[in-house]
Amino acid sequence: MIQLIQQLVNGLVMGSIYGLVALGVTMSFGLMGIVNFAHGAFVMAGAFAAFYLTTLYGIPFLLAAAASMGIVGALGFLVERYSFRFARHEPINGLMISIGLIYVMENAAILLFGPENKAIQPLFSGTIEVGGVVLATQRIFVFVASSLLLAFFYLYVKKTKSGKSMRAVAENAFAAQLMGISIDRIIGLAFVIGCVLAAAAGVALGSLFVVTAHMGAAPLMKAFVIITLGGFGSIRGAFVAAFIIGLVDSLAAGYVSSAWADIFGYVVFILILIFKPKGIFGEGT
Amino acid sequence: MLISLEHVSSKYGNVLALRDISLEVDEGELVTLIGANGAGKSTTLKVISGIMKPATGRVVYSGQDTVSRSPRQLIEAGIVHVPEGRQVFAHMTVLENLEMGAFLLSDRRLIEERLDLVFRHFPILKSRLQQEAGTLSGGEQSMLAIGRGLMLRPKLLLLDEPLLGLSPRLCQEVLAIIERLHEEKMAILLVEQNAKAALKISDRAYVLETGRTVTSGKASNLLADDEVRKAYLGF
């Protein structure tokens, strides 16, 4: 029972991180039609930024996390403005850009910071015990912080004017343009938000595991599974699917074998697609 | 003159869509563009709303050339384009669709006023506010598309095929609303396949053929002209 609860909590922790990554991927796809393979590189960039700020400059964790989100957001702004924007009418070019960006960003990270593994000093180091279940405090913190970010994002997209216009552009850019909505501005903003959330995921992963130049690849693969499972472009679907994949992975790791953990996520993924080919929530946001 | 196009041509890539379009719409006038598919009616509207730029010729709105103005600036200046096929945001609620129509307004009270204006024309929308637009009937979607356009209370309303796919009864309903907007002194440029119905409520009309304006005149005269009827109206 205790093991079950621990695995469930781990699943929620990973699910919340995957959710942060998946949102950026689903926005790039929904707004630009681009499958952004480079999104994992922004996760990595976030982790590196936080590692440097905390370890080298001794900046407190929370401040470093916020700064990392800001830095990666600015990086995302530049990348969208000066590369992806020119691929808007030819999504295959966007795909090529994204693959090129992986090499550029990962190798830049190795060049700048060296190839060895690093770790971000977590905010909390101890454990807490709730009814016999021992949980790492940092994990609980990551889950709470990530979930808060997901909730903020959801409210932003549902309730604010700029969030609504983002949904409008995703649904019908032509009609949105006729209302005076600037497509360029909305896509740029969405890309930046996606990168900020990716950076948050990177800081979270870096504080629980290790920081490496290739650390973005695994959560990115999960994100692709998640947005397919949730239904392309569906934000609600991405939320639900992220937690499904997180839970399946960690239960499999706990009860079967951590070497096989990924397999179970993909099996669930394939099974759901057999019965619901358009994902859990079909199409739409 | 509220808007005038002078010998406008326009291209999609290398394909000439408009060859020589000249037309005018005066303040408060209801003008219809008729012509076969591919004659350039929708393209003409796109040039007016600034989504497409003329290759040659001039578009003058309220005495100013529009060439250097962005679509957004033209919307701010009062030109609202309701596109063909309704194009409502299907997964957003009716209210959200209308709010998007008012994207350029920030005064909450003004937006409320405009919502009331839209509900006055389309009472049905008020009872559907929280429903997703994609779940509305075709007629209701048409009304939503026009209502969304009215949120900015345009000086010049461009309506592209608002009757497309509507039952005869709904056509009458939408036509009645267009007439009412006309009575309220809104200038309207209407593109409509159902030429007879459109001409009946219009002041004037232009006939387009392969990207040219070939005939124009008072709508009642065009309706009565046997040549025009046979060649362009098909009845």
Side-chain angles (χ1 to χ4, degrees):
Chain A
M1 187 62 196
I2 285 176
Q3 194 201 357
L4 176 67
I5 292 172
Q6 261 165 350
Q7 293 306 336
L8 287 177
V9 171
N10 280 343
L12 292 175
V13 173
M14 293 316 289
S16 66
I17 298 176
Y18 293 158
L20 291 176
V21 182
L23 286 180
V25 179
T26 201
M27 281 194 290
S28 286
F29 183 80
L31 290 167
M32 298 192 282
I34 289 174
V35 179
N36 183 11
F37 279 101
H39 198 65
F42 291 98
V43 174
M44 177 275 291
F48 269 95
F51 166 75
Y52 254 71
L53 293 171
T54 50
T55 307
L56 251 65
Y57 296 102
I59 292 171
F61 183 90
L62 285 177
L63 199 59
S68 154
M69 288 160 75
I71 291 167
V72 176
L75 182 66
F77 172 81
L78 295 173
V79 165
E80 189 281 326
R81 180 69 188 77
Y82 296 104
S83 67
F84 284 116
R85 185 165 296 187
F86 303 105
R88 199 81 61 69
H89 302 287
E90 204 61 73
I92 195 80
N93 290 350
L95 183 72
M96 298 314 290
I97 290 173
S98 78
I99 290 170
L101 268 176
I102 298 178
Y103 288 101
V104 173
M105 290 175 68
E106 291 193 353
N107 286 306
I110 292 171
L111 205 64
L112 288 171
F113 307 121
E116 58 284 335
N117 289 354
K118 300 163 181 65
I120 298 170
Q121 192 61 44
L123 181 60
F124 299 101
S125 50
T127 55
I128 47 172
E129 200 192 311
V130 187
V133 185
V134 180
L135 302 161
T137 317
Q138 177 71 11
R139 285 188 177 246
I140 303 299
F141 165 71
V142 163
F143 171 68
V144 171
S146 303
S147 301
L148 277 177
L149 281 175
L150 291 175
F152 274 134
F153 179 83
Y154 189 76
L155 286 176
Y156 163 75
V157 162
K158 280 287 170 206
K159 299 286 179 205
T160 68
K161 187 172 176 181
S162 113
K164 286 175 191 172
S165 47
M166 206 169 276
R167 283 190 283 144
V169 172
E171 269 205 41
N172 189 333
F174 173 66
Q177 192 187 10
L178 293 178
M179 328 268 102
I181 297 171
S182 160
I183 311 288
D184 283 348
R185 202 174 300 170
I186 290 293
I187 288 180
L189 179 64
F191 197 86
V192 168
I193 292 175
C195 288
V196 168
L197 296 176
V203 177
L205 288 168
S207 73
L208 297 178
F209 309 106
V210 290
V211 178
T212 76
H214 310 294
M215 66 182 284
L220 181 68
M221 282 315 295
K222 300 287 183 195
F224 284 139
V225 169
I226 286 162
I227 67 168
T228 314
L229 196 54
F232 278 100
S234 166
I235 287 166
R236 215 164 22 139
F239 280 2
V240 174
F243 285 105
I244 291 179
I245 293 295
L247 287 170
V248 169
D249 277 8
S250 78
L251 288 176
Y255 287 102
V256 187
S257 148
S258 56
W260 287 77
D262 287 344
I263 301 291
F264 287 88
Y266 289 112
V267 168
V268 168
F269 168 60
I270 290 165
L271 283 178
I272 292 182
L273 287 193
I274 288 173
F275 296 107
K276 289 221 56 164
K278 284 191 162 178
I280 301 169
F281 284 99
E283 56 209 345
T285 42
Chain B
M1 215 36 72
L2 183 61
I3 188 152
S4 60
L5 277 67
E6 299 164 12
H7 303 291
V8 166
S9 75
S10 185
K11 296 175 184 175
Y12 285 106
N14 286 323
V15 183
L16 209 53
L18 302 182
R19 289 164 199 276
D20 183 6
I21 299 282
S22 295
L23 62 85
E24 294 176 336
V25 180
D26 209 344
E27 310 261 357
E29 217 182 4
L30 172 51
V31 174
T32 293
L33 296 184
I34 53 181
N37 277 329
K41 304 181 303 275
S42 293
T43 312
T44 302
L45 296 191
K46 285 181 185 168
V47 167
I48 295 174
S49 60
I51 298 169
M52 284 179 71
K53 291 292 166 194
T56 58
R58 282 191 348 135
V59 180
V60 179
Y61 174 71
S62 286
Q64 284 180 310
D65 198 313
T66 67
V67 161
S68 60
R69 297 162 90 184
S70 68
R72 182 182 170 136
Q73 286 170 321
L74 292 172
I75 299 167
E76 280 166 347
I79 302 179
V80 169
H81 183 166
V82 177
E84 186 180 351
R86 305 177 188 113
Q87 315 230 21
V88 296
F89 303 115
H91 293 287
M92 297 173 76
T93 65
V94 168
L95 179 61
E96 285 172 338
N97 268 271
L98 294 172
E99 285 173 346
M100 286 299 105
F103 179 79
L104 292 178
L105 303 179
S106 46
D107 181 353
R108 196 62 231 176
R109 244 207 343 254
L110 189 60
I111 295 175
E112 295 292 337
E113 264 177 49
R114 295 291 167 80
L115 280 172
D116 286 339
L117 175 97
V118 170
F119 298 149
R120 202 151 44 75
H121 287 291
F122 305 103
I124 185 80
L125 294 180
K126 194 167 185 176
S127 57
R128 299 268 193 271
L129 276 185
Q130 296 306 327
Q131 208 171 317
E132 281 195 6
T135 65
L136 299 178
S137 71
E140 288 163 350
Q141 288 190 22
S142 253
M143 294 178 191
L144 177 57
I146 298 173
R148 192 175 61 176
L150 293 181
M151 289 298 287
L152 290 175
R153 217 169 58 191
K155 288 200 188 90
L156 174 61
L157 181 64
L158 310 173
L159 290 176
D160 199 346
E161 306 267 12
L163 306 183
L164 197 70
L166 297 189
S167 69
R169 192 179 58 80
L170 280 168
C171 278
Q172 287 313 315
E173 230 170 278
V174 171
L175 283 166
I177 286 153
I178 296 172
E179 268 189 294
R180 205 179 320 143
L181 294 171
H182 178 39
E183 280 160 20
E184 291 175 7
K185 303 289 175 236
M186 189 177 289
I188 300 169
L189 183 55
L190 175 64
V191 163
E192 190 44 62
Q193 288 283 343
N194 189 346
K196 191 174 172 184
L199 285 175
K200 275 186 184 156
I201 62 166
S202 298
D203 298 317
R204 288 188 309 115
Y206 292 86
V207 177
L208 268 59
E209 198 178 51
T210 59
R212 290 189 184 83
T213 29
V214 289
T215 317
S216 68
K218 281 184 69 172
S220 51
N221 293 350
L222 288 176
L223 262 177
D225 186 325
D226 280 343
E227 289 287 302
V228 171
R229 276 173 51 160
K230 261 188 235 133
Y232 303 109
L233 305 185
F235 59 87

